[in-house]
Amino acid sequence: MLDVQTGAVAETAAPKTGAGPPDATPAQPPLRPYVLVAAGLCALYFLYSWVRYEQFRTPSWDLGIFEQSVRAYAEFRAPIVDIKGPGFLILGDHFSPVTALLAPLYWIWSSPLALLLAQAALFAASAVVVGRTAHQVLGSRAAGLGLTIAYGLSWGLQEAVKSDFHEIAFAVPLLALTCRALLLGRWTAAVAWSAPLVLVKEDMGLTVAMVGAVLFLRGARRPGAALAAFGVAFFALTVLVLIPAASRVGQYDYWAKIEKSSEGADVSFAQALVTSLGSDVKWEMLFFLVGITGFLALRSPLMLLVLPTLGWRFLSQDPNHWGMIWHYSAILMPIVFLALVDAVRTVRTSPRAWLVSYGKVVVPVVTAVSIVLALNLPLRELLRSETYRTDARTLDARRAVDAMPDGTSVETNVTLMAHLTADHTVYWVGGAKGVSPDFLALDLDSGWSQPVTDPVQLASQLHPEARYEVSFRAGQFVVLRRA
């Protein structure tokens, strides 16, 4: 048990109820087989990301935003992201200073693809942690490798890969290591791995606090209480002080995701709480979250760690936060899979014979189900030959990018954005107030509320102080130069 005076783990046996550390730390399993599986997963993640990038299938402006911020760190500049607005300091939007760790990678390979590779590697590294922990705790290499595959192909990670790069790529392995430490009764390690999460994104402070709560429940009362207090305090510091101090408007803008409906109407907290339970999309996501573990993960106290993320997502009025798409569920994957490992260990001593039997078969069942589900998830596209074909749209997009000299300023929408940030000053279309960029580069078939029939007229509406003329046009892409 934990000696609360010294913080050390004593040699006395703990009960096998999930309330304390295991009786003894199992032997370390071999590393090589898990690294090999993870290398394959990394290759799949990056291949998928690379093909989509090369074919201009970027789904949002986020890759361009992170490219601008990491490039700024690599050049020892403040993380100014002009895509969010001319001179916009990104730390006034989301608090993610952890992305500065990618700056050295940019010294070697200065490309948005470097971010996609880094994310693939971080996700794959978390698979090693999940798999080896399963092997070590359950005493079975088959279980370890099976859960490595099931986790690596899980819908949360695949949807995150499909969504390009996000800062949560760092949270995924950190949470895997935190859960591993909790399963092995290594309280100091759990604190050490979870504390840096506050630098990944502002909401992670609440997850850190929940790690503290789990420590407290498992008998580590002093470090648990201290970690919980640290997480809550850092969350408050970030959203009430640090982000407002860096923001132009002097406040944390994302409160509006809870306080405003999609139509812009005010929503009280009570209304948000009541309506949070009324969406089928949210319940579908929750069903698949626990369903991929055969629902057995619900028996583990580690599942408490999903509550902060699920809480703000359920309260949010933004439908993008509710379902199984985008990257928001990636950080939940290491939690639920290692909660499954914890539950399988626990049910071995259950007095219910059916539960003991279920615990013996749940890992191979989960692995089989994950492989079947993967046939309908993003990575399945790698099995199709048309995925690798270069179509006319892609060629037109490349020609549009080449039509603008390096070093110029460009206002553009999502399709071309991440391909321009490396060599141009890039603004979001409609977001370059007070600036007359050298070029406008537009995908006329993407993101418009109504069809654009006259690009020159659109340019005059965006920048009445300047005059633009078409300098290149091919297919759905048009480039306008400032006259």
Side-chain angles (χ1 to χ4, degrees), residues 251-275:
Q251 65 182 14
Y252 179 54
D253 281 346
Y254 290 92
W255 292 127
K257 294 291 186 180
I258 296 175
E259 298 170 347
K260 298 285 186 181
S261 69
S262 56
E263 292 79 23
D266 290 338
V267 176
S268 68
F269 181 80
Q271 289 174 317
L273 190 60
V274 171
T275 58

Side-chain angles (χ1 to χ4, degrees), residues 325-349:
I325 60 173
W326 299 108
H327 58 288
Y328 302 108
S329 296
I331 62 173
L332 304 179
M333 295 297 108
I335 299 172
V336 298
F337 274 92
L338 288 175
L340 170 63
V341 172
D342 187 28
V344 171
R345 176 177 64 183
T346 302
V347 301
R348 287 174 172 175
T349 57

